[in-house]
Amino acid sequence: MLSVALASLVFVTTMSFTVDMHYCGDSLVDFALFHNAQTCGMENQSSQKSCEAGFSEKSCCSDAQIVNDGQDDLKTSYTNLSFEHQAFVATFFYTYINLFDGLDKNIVPFRDYAVPFLIRDIQKLHETYLI
């Protein structure tokens, strides 16, 4: 579960995205996450007064854009390893491979010794029992 969370964290922090917003006046008309926001069409209309006067008024519509650039400085390859790193990797793999070597044998250190001869059962004699 922790590995999935860490992988998601790396994915989110390295991802780039753009948020586009289109406003008409003070109200938000369209909101788009990965593509351009659609306009309301009012910025293309011109009033008759502006055409007669020869200049155009400023449109009441506006666009806002928020850009989040992802992180690009991740190290993706380990082609150049120093001698210390190579020695560590070789030692780690050698130790890990030999860790499970010889576990298939059942080693009993007291197999060659005889069982001691008991004259009396001491625990029963003193009535002390291990719980």
Side-chain angles (χ1 to χ4, degrees):
M1 182 70 183
L2 181 63
S3 62
V4 172
L6 290 175
S8 301
L9 177 70
V10 169
F11 178 71
V12 169
T13 57
T14 58
M15 186 175 79
S16 301
F17 63 91
T18 303
V19 177
D20 284 338
M21 295 173 282
H22 181 75
Y23 291 96
C24 279
D26 290 333
S27 63
L28 179 65
V29 175
D30 193 24
F31 173 83
L33 189 58
F34 291 109
H35 54 84
N36 293 335
Q38 294 180 354
T39 61
C40 59
M42 292 183 66
E43 66 275 352
N44 294 335
Q45 298 176 355
S46 60
S47 64
Q48 291 178 355
K49 187 188 301 182
S50 65
C51 291
E52 293 171 358
F55 63 92
S56 62
E57 295 179 5
K58 184 179 176 185
S59 175
C60 66
C61 296
S62 64
D63 292 323
Q65 188 177 43
I66 299 171
V67 178
N68 182 17
D69 291 329
Q71 191 179 29
D72 291 336
D73 58 351
L74 294 177
K75 190 172 186 178
T76 57
S77 66
Y78 293 99
T79 56
N80 298 330
L81 290 177
S82 66
F83 178 73
E84 289 84 14
H85 288 119
Q86 289 177 2
F88 173 76
V89 170
T91 307
F92 177 77
F93 281 118
Y94 178 76
T95 307
Y96 187 75
I97 288 171
N98 290 333
L99 182 66
F100 301 109
D101 190 25
L103 289 181
D104 54 348
K105 301 174 190 171
N106 190 6
I107 300 171
V108 181
F110 50 85
R111 179 179 43 194
D112 298 330
Y113 298 104
V115 179
F117 182 68
L118 292 178
I119 300 171
R120 295 177 250 173
D121 192 4
I122 304 259
Q123 289 180 348
K124 190 170 182 181
L125 182 67
H126 296 288
E127 292 186 7
T128 57
Y129 303 103
L130 297 175
I131 298 176

